[in-house]
Amino acid sequence: MNTLISHKIEKVPKLFFFWIILFATIAGCFNQEICFSDLNIEEMPKTIRSELYRGQQEFTFAMLDTIQKATPNENIFFSPYSTYHALLLAYFGATGKTEEELVQVLRLSWAKNKKHVNNGYRLEKQLRLTRSKRMPLEFASADKIYFDKSINLSRCVTDNFPDELESLNFREDAEKCRLEINAWIANITKNEIPDMLRAGDVTSDTQMVLANAAYFKGQWANKFDAKDTKSQIFYTSKSQTFVPMMHQRGTYNLAIDEQIGAYILQMPYLTSADENKDSEMSMMIVLPPFVENGLENVLEKLNAETLEMAMKESMPREIDITLPKFEFEQNIELMPILNRMGINSIFSSNAELSGFSVETNVNFGDAKHVAKIKVDEEGSTAAAATVLFSFRSARPLEPTNNTVIPLL
């Protein structure tokens, strides 16, 4: 689709929606304990949450750029939020070169140690839960560190991630473990993603699986009338097709941004029982010009800074909206994408992941991602999941993608 769609929280600091293991060295364990201790607590950045959010923003556009260049003639749909959180789990257990790569790609150079990042991670989790309780929409996100029961985890991990840890018996019953992980993801995503891991993805050799699952369901602040939905031509840069189109006239924040070269529309969700209260969450729609290479030109200019500037320039305008009603699901083999972004060590036999354990050497063999979205007259529903796991015998050399819709 010749459209970019994302979700954003408008109050500062913001949250993004949508979206290691083990060396037997005493030194590695000691360094990890230091990272998670309260040493240098007086040097804790006062902006840890906004710094983490900013890193997620920059990661989002870097991932979008990487996927677009890897599959220039394909549509793209993914959740950078889910991917970022799964990789964040890996960062907490990484050391050496593996940690350096994750710091660079996840934009964590602002933090002096892992304690700073962990505090930001915990704060985001707490605020997300608080908001979900007071908003008339559903937003759930959870992380899991599944590990084989034979692994003796570091005290650092057990002390800091009690909610995320889950011991499984991969060695004796890998299939049962696979089904249990799939059931957890299905539960978080309201059964939108029931079969994340396929048969053979985990085996008796699997020692750890890192997973994130996220779910969102929001109602438009101003719903579309289903009686106005009609089949119309939808144009892309390459072709045209008939799709159900929703129609509405109303006042919305719209930016006509010359720097990006696109219209940027904010579609607010209902986030309060008080109809007079401004929405705290919107779907953002970026509409490139209908010219040759229009989408490509916009993507070259679209980044965290240009988007923020465009949002500041937006203003309420009375407009006619025509929006396609659609459903889409995307499966992405993440490893080639992450390799292009600069994450390589974690998937090698030399992975430095002693932060999880000092007794077991583990590396990840693959990573995969699934994202779904449904947009209709009532609102939108989205789900995403990301897993890093070891080992898998075979994978495609390149990702197989089919929309440019980063689900933030």
Side-chain angles (χ1 to χ4, degrees), residues 166-202:
E166 190 76 30
S167 176
L168 297 178
N169 192 353
F170 290 106
R171 184 172 298 179
E172 296 182 8
D173 199 340
E175 179 62 12
K176 181 180 178 181
C177 297
R178 180 183 74 87
L179 295 176
E180 185 170 334
I181 295 172
N182 281 350
W184 176 79
I185 293 174
N187 180 59
I188 298 296
T189 63
K190 307 291 186 181
N191 213 40
E192 291 290 337
I193 304 177
D195 300 304
M196 182 68 185
L197 292 172
R198 300 189 184 96
D201 279 346
V202 295

Side-chain angles (χ1 to χ4, degrees), residues 243-304:
V243 300
M245 294 289 237
M246 305 180 294
H247 297 270
Q248 183 178 147
R249 183 173 181 82
T251 301
Y252 295 89
N253 281 336
L254 178 69
I256 305 174
D257 192 83
E258 295 183 359
Q259 182 176 1
I260 297 176
Y263 291 91
I264 303 175
L265 172 68
Q266 298 176 57
M267 293 281 293
Y269 290 102
L270 184 65
T271 57
S272 173
D274 184 357
E275 296 183 356
N276 295 319
K277 189 174 181 179
D278 291 339
S279 174
E280 295 182 41
M281 181 177 287
S282 298
M283 173 179 284
M284 185 172 59
I285 300 175
V286 180
L287 181 63
F290 189 67
V291 296
E292 186 176 358
N293 298 321
L295 178 59
E296 291 76 9
N297 292 336
V298 168
L299 290 176
E300 288 181 2
K301 302 172 184 176
L302 190 63
N303 55 50

